[in-house]
Amino acid sequence: MKRMVTLLLSVLLAFTLSSPVLAGSLDSEITAAAAFLQQNNILAGDETGDLQLDKPLTRAELAVIASRLTVNQEHLLADQQFYDGQCTFTDVPEWARVYVGYCASMHYVGGYGDGRYGPDDPVTPAAACTVLLRCCGNLVPFAWSYDTALDAAVQYGIAPREALLEEHISRGNLSILLYRTTEKLGFSMEDVEPDTGDTSDENTASEMEQQVADLVNQERAANGLAPLTLSDDLCDGARRKSQDMHDNNYFSHDSPTFGSPFDMMSSMGIDFWAAGENIAMGYPTVEAVMEGWMNSPGHRANILSDAFTELGVGYVDGYWTQWFVNR
């Protein structure tokens, strides 16, 4: 069964930075981590592709990387105006405002308490550990704080102690933390799995779809709205849309196969007087995709609309679709 390597669509930034030499004992892990991160557009190099692994990165660049780990970049940029508004710091450059704003709204990053974020300041090991532990959220099974972030990152397994010894963390050592964090977040490392005839993945996908529906109705209940009925024909259609995006390597509401979501619904004999679609790509868990949708105003509006009465959810190898209708 084909498995998609989880990707986050991203704006690639060329980093120009400076700092300490790589610890020899970490070189092999740094090499593997950096190759994976560069391949998946999580960590970018300069105009020649050099990742400059012996140099530090800035706090603004860390916000870019945190957003790549936790939110679909197409969704993020579609809501750029909203997240720009969430960036209340006075010193963040225009290019970084959407990323810092997103990370601030998710409480991944904070400022210095005087209205400044310090976008050009180099990242300390404690700051890097804090941001990545926050990205992991409830997956971290114990309490921690900024003061204990270094020990917590080591205990949780996203950082070797040797990578945290310098005053400012190098891009090479950060690569290890990022690589290990992607594993905690459920990123797939395999492009292809042999087809054994085992249907466990299909069962898991069905369970994930049900879990999304359950979380949708939890959000609706919290906002005083009636639950949506999970409908078989809508799930079938949503699953076909996810499969189509997967098979044809695109990410859009408009399908090269079926046209618009509304054209696709009509072609399947689904009548409606109100309808909507949410899509997502690359989120590794039910909780992550729901958090992404709920933090996007347009997608949140569909989930919490009182115009809809039924829901369909489709998940195929990293592609997610929600269909909403009222018939």
Side-chain angles (χ1 to χ4, degrees):
M1 180 179 296
K2 182 179 179 183
R3 176 171 292 178
M4 185 186 72
V5 175
T6 306
L7 301 176
L8 297 181
L9 305 179
S10 60
V11 177
L12 298 183
L13 302 175
F15 297 147
T16 51
L17 315 155
S18 69
S19 126
V21 181
L22 301 178
S25 62
L26 301 176
D27 279 353
S28 60
E29 188 172 2
I30 287 171
T31 299
F36 173 81
L37 297 168
Q38 186 172 38
Q39 179 183 358
N40 289 290
N41 297 332
I42 297 171
L43 188 66
D46 61 17
E47 63 276 3
T48 69
D50 182 4
L51 293 177
Q52 302 185 42
L53 297 177
D54 61 336
K55 301 182 182 299
L57 78 165
T58 66
R59 283 165 53 86
E61 291 160 351
L62 181 60
V64 175
I65 290 170
S67 76
R68 291 173 181 169
L69 288 176
T70 57
V71 66
N72 183 286
Q73 297 293 283
E74 188 161 313
H75 288 179
L76 178 67
L77 296 177
D79 293 325
Q80 181 166 354
Q81 184 176 1
F82 172 79
Y83 289 117
D84 278 354
Q86 299 299 303
C87 181
T88 59
F89 306 111
T90 58
D91 59 346
V92 175
E94 190 63 33
W95 68 264
R97 291 187 62 81
V98 62
Y99 304 105
V100 175
Y102 166 76
C103 289
S105 72
M106 298 297 293
H107 305 292
Y108 297 152
V109 302
Y112 291 134
D114 57 358
R116 295 186 308 112
Y117 176 68
D120 297 324
D121 293 349
V123 176
T124 65
C129 290
T130 296
V131 170
L132 295 180
L133 286 167
R134 287 173 177 170
C135 288
C136 291
N138 292 333
L139 294 174
V140 182
F142 52 83
W144 61 277
S145 68
Y146 181 85
D147 291 336
T148 63
L150 296 177
D151 290 334
V154 173
Q155 179 182 345
Y156 187 48
I158 64 170
R161 181 72 65 183
E162 314 90 90
L164 308 176
L165 301 179
E166 302 289 343
E167 180 181 4
H168 300 121
I169 194 165
S170 71
R171 289 162 59 85
N173 287 345
L174 180 70
S175 295
I176 296 176
L177 274 65
L178 292 170
Y179 182 74
R180 294 186 181 191
T181 300
T182 63
E183 292 183 305
K184 294 292 186 181
L185 292 173
F187 282 49
S188 171
M189 303 294 296
E190 299 173 353
D191 288 308
V192 179
E193 274 189 352
D195 188 353
T196 62
D198 186 2
T199 62
S200 59
D201 282 354
E202 296 175 13
N203 294 335
T204 299
S206 178
E207 291 168 2
M208 293 168 75
E209 291 163 1
Q210 181 63 59
Q211 290 167 13
V212 168
D214 292 343
L215 290 178
V216 165
N217 283 329
Q218 287 180 27
E219 295 288 354
R220 290 177 65 86
N223 286 272
L225 297 167
L228 300 179
T229 300
L230 189 64
S231 299
D232 289 341
D233 60 344
L234 295 181
C235 286
D236 179 55
R239 209 170 290 124
R240 288 172 64 183
K241 175 61 179 284
S242 291
Q243 188 72 59
D244 187 55
M245 290 192 290
H246 173 271
D247 292 348
N248 292 295
N249 193 31
Y250 74 94
F251 180 70
S252 173
H253 289 294
D254 292 320
S255 162
T257 309
F258 301 105
S260 75
F262 316 111
D263 292 336
M264 186 174 178
M265 290 178 191
S266 296
S267 71
M268 294 179 61
I270 299 171
D271 296 322
F272 57 86
W273 67 264
E277 176 183 84
N278 285 346
I279 57 175
M281 182 183 75
Y283 291 93
T285 65
V286 168
E287 292 78 12
V289 73
M290 277 298 296
E291 183 175 44
W293 277 328
M294 291 303 293
N295 281 291
S296 169
H299 301 88
R300 178 187 178 92
N302 276 341
I303 290 170
L304 299 182
S305 174
D306 61 3
F308 301 132
T309 58
E310 296 177 61
L311 170 69
V313 182
Y315 173 77
V316 176
D317 283 348
Y319 289 84
W320 304 81
T321 302
Q322 290 179 320
W323 274 8
F324 305 86
V325 303
N326 191 335
R327 312 190 216 213

